[in-house]
């Protein structure tokens, strides 16, 4: 990479802090009101009936097992019945580096959905990484600069709230037979934490603007 390109990305790529409503993967549509993570956590018992309403049997069983797993970990998770039916955790609860390089507002989204083939379920963990630039080319360079990961994937996606690109990490595995076990969930969280650490360390060459 040329010196000019290096200086350009260093001066433009910034850390995102304290703006969860703008950079979050929630809400999915402009007309949906943003619900802060603290409220999702505090009111999860109240949100639970709406979350599970209309959900298929296998998906329901998977989410119930996920809830038990999170409760046993003492994880401060929230339930969001509106924005894609996801469970939400503070990213720092799983990855210390998310707190070091990001902010307490960064979220980890957990979802159990039908897999692409429609023959089972897929368990995924996803986080918007706390980096952004108004220049799409800078974000594309950041993606190329980031490490190639063994299990998860990094990709760019346009944020519907401001039209800018988000750098996203996602780890997903099929559930076949369609059941979520404690061992699998623990392994997923461990991989997520390790690969996020590798990604943050690689992108630490991009200082705050």
């Amino acid at each position: 990479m040329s010196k000019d390109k290096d200086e350009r990305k260093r001066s433009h790529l910034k850390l995102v802090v304290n703006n969860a409503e703008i950079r979050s993967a929630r809400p999915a549509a402009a007309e949906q009101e943003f619900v802060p993570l603290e409220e999702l956590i505090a009111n999860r018992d109240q949100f639970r009936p709406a979350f599970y309403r209309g959900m298929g049997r296998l998906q329901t069983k998977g989410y119930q097992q996920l809830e038990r797993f999170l409760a046993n970990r003492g994880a401060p998770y929230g339930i969001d019945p509106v924005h894609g039916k996801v469970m939400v955790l503070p990213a720092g609860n799983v990855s210390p580096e998310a707190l070091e390089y990001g902010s307490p507002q960064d979220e980890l989204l957990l979802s159990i959905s039908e897999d692409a083939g429609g023959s089972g379920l897929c368990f995924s963990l996803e986080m918007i990484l706390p980096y952004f630039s108004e220049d799409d080319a800078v974000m594309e360079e950041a993606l190329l600069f980031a490490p190639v990961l063994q299990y998860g994937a990094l990709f760019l996606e346009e944020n519907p709230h401001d039209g800018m690109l988000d750098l996203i990490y996602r780890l997903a595995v099929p559930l076949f037979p369609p059941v979520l076990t404690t061992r699998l969930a623990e392994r997923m969280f461990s991989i997520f934490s390790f690969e996020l650490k590798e990604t943050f360390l690689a992108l630490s060459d991009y200082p705050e603007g």
Side-chain angles (χ1 to χ4, degrees):
M1 185 177 293
S2 69
K3 182 178 179 181
D4 288 345
K5 283 187 177 180
D6 187 62
E7 290 301 319
R8 179 169 172 269
K9 74 181 181 184
R10 284 177 177 273
S11 64
H12 287 80
L13 193 67
K14 302 175 182 178
L15 283 170
V16 180
V17 292
N18 299 326
N19 57 351
E21 293 186 30
I22 297 175
R23 308 303 302 169
S24 175
R26 305 177 298 114
E31 67 273 10
Q32 294 175 336
E33 181 181 355
F34 181 81
V35 183
L37 175 55
E38 294 78 10
E39 185 176 335
L40 296 180
I41 295 171
N43 296 309
R44 66 176 176 238
D45 291 339
Q46 176 183 336
F47 293 151
R48 188 173 286 110
F51 182 84
Y52 284 104
R53 189 176 299 123
M55 191 179 290
R57 182 180 63 84
L58 294 178
Q59 190 180 12
T60 296
K61 184 177 179 181
Y63 270 121
Q64 288 173 340
Q65 290 173 317
L66 180 57
E67 281 208 75
R68 284 194 291 271
F69 171 77
L70 295 173
N72 289 336
R73 281 175 60 100
Y77 71 96
I79 293 178
D80 192 337
V82 179
H83 310 110
K85 291 198 174 184
V86 293
M87 292 185 179
V88 191
L89 271 173
N93 182 262
V94 180
S95 168
E97 287 73 26
L99 284 177
E100 181 180 353
Y101 294 97
S103 75
Q105 285 74 31
D106 290 326
E107 297 178 352
L108 166 60
L109 304 184
L110 309 176
S111 66
I112 297 174
S113 57
E114 274 197 13
D115 64 20
S119 58
L121 298 176
C122 179
F123 175 39
S124 66
L125 297 80
E126 180 177 307
M127 177 186 174
I128 294 178
L129 301 186
Y131 297 94
F132 84 102
S133 172
E134 296 179 0
D135 188 336
D136 289 355
V138 174
M139 294 298 291
E140 291 166 2
E141 287 180 1
L143 178 62
L144 292 174
F145 186 85
V148 176
L149 302 170
Q150 186 175 13
Y151 294 101
L154 295 167
F155 60 96
L156 292 173
E157 185 172 274
E158 183 177 296
N159 191 296
H161 312 304
D162 55 22
M164 294 199 301
L165 291 177
D166 287 329
L167 182 59
I168 298 173
Y169 169 85
R170 179 183 292 155
L171 174 63
V173 296
L175 300 178
F176 188 81
V179 62
L180 178 67
T181 65
T182 297
R183 178 178 293 183
L184 176 59
E186 287 176 346
R187 180 65 176 148
M188 289 275 284
F189 274 65
S190 176
I191 292 171
F192 182 91
S193 179
F194 177 79
E195 292 195 341
L196 268 188
K197 177 181 178 179
E198 293 295 298
T199 301
F200 281 127
L201 290 177
L203 290 175
S204 63
D205 284 343
Y206 292 79
E208 289 189 63

